[in-house]
Amino acid sequence: MRAAWISIFILASCAAAPAAKAQPAPARVEEAYAPYAGLIGTWQSNGGEIVQRFNWGPGRSYILYSTTTRGGDGAEHLHFEGILLYNAATQALDFLIALEPGSLGLERGSIHAEADGSLVRDVEFVGPGGATGRFRQTYRLPSTGDGETSLMRDDGHGGWTPTFPGSEHLAMHRVDAG
């Protein structure tokens, strides 16, 4: 009987113990989203062929994110759209994005800030048929002016390779600050 009580105590203690963190979680929305605030606005890459939009949700409680591409017809086509939401447990942004809306594809993952201020979007892609893949997008945004992003896919051998030619260094031109 005593062993049963000890086991219950140990299990209860483990379940109630908070995860160890290097820093306490921010107490205010402004603090939580501060590392990502530089993304807010509209950004163009490849001469306007790629447009990324980041907009605040009500009360700055989340970020709406969409990317469009400009086709040969000159019209913008929605590539994906979704939500970036602060996760206090990980102190990063979690996201869920509808890929090519209507295709049943999606992206999910997280965005975290690196020590140098760059933002890394780690992505798991799930295709309409259930096939999965991984890629990583890194944003380097100075406090003012234009920035750079890179789109790299998992090469399946522990490394990263450009998603398409030139995607390892895409200039980002800020069109508006949201």
Side-chain angles (χ1 to χ4, degrees):
M1 182 70 157
R2 182 171 186 249
W5 280 108
I6 292 172
S7 295
I8 290 170
F9 175 76
I10 291 171
L11 288 173
S13 297
C14 291
K21 292 185 182 170
Q23 301 173 8
R28 298 175 353 125
V29 170
E30 295 83 10
E31 295 167 356
Y33 284 95
Y36 313 100
L39 288 171
I40 302 300
T42 302
W43 300 86
Q44 290 184 346
S45 296
N46 278 6
E49 289 180 13
I50 302 169
V51 179
Q52 297 181 84
R53 291 180 177 88
F54 298 87
N55 297 297
W56 290 117
R60 293 187 173 202
S61 56
Y62 56 86
I63 299 172
L64 294 168
Y65 176 35
S66 68
T67 294
T68 59
T69 57
R70 192 169 308 279
D73 60 1
E76 279 191 43
H77 303 279
L78 185 60
H79 177 52
F80 65 64
E81 186 171 59
I83 187 170
L84 314 176
L85 187 64
Y86 183 76
N87 180 333
T90 63
Q91 298 184 34
L93 299 181
D94 288 345
F95 63 84
L96 183 60
I97 294 171
L99 182 61
E100 302 292 338
S103 74
L104 300 178
L106 66 86
E107 291 182 358
R108 62 183 173 200
S110 66
I111 301 176
H112 67 274
E114 294 280 317
D116 67 0
S118 61
L119 304 174
V120 178
R121 185 169 80 97
D122 287 310
V123 180
E124 178 186 3
F125 162 83
V126 181
T132 62
R134 290 180 355 126
F135 70 90
R136 175 173 286 161
Q137 183 171 16
T138 302
Y139 299 94
R140 291 169 202 83
L141 306 172
S143 58
T144 59
D146 295 341
E148 180 181 274
T149 189
S150 63
L151 295 167
M152 308 294 281
R153 64 179 168 79
D154 185 340
D155 67 6
H157 303 288
W160 299 94
T161 188
T163 302
F164 56 86
S167 70
E168 67 275 27
H169 296 290
L170 289 171
M172 293 175 60
H173 171 70
R174 186 185 289 277
V175 177
D176 70 54

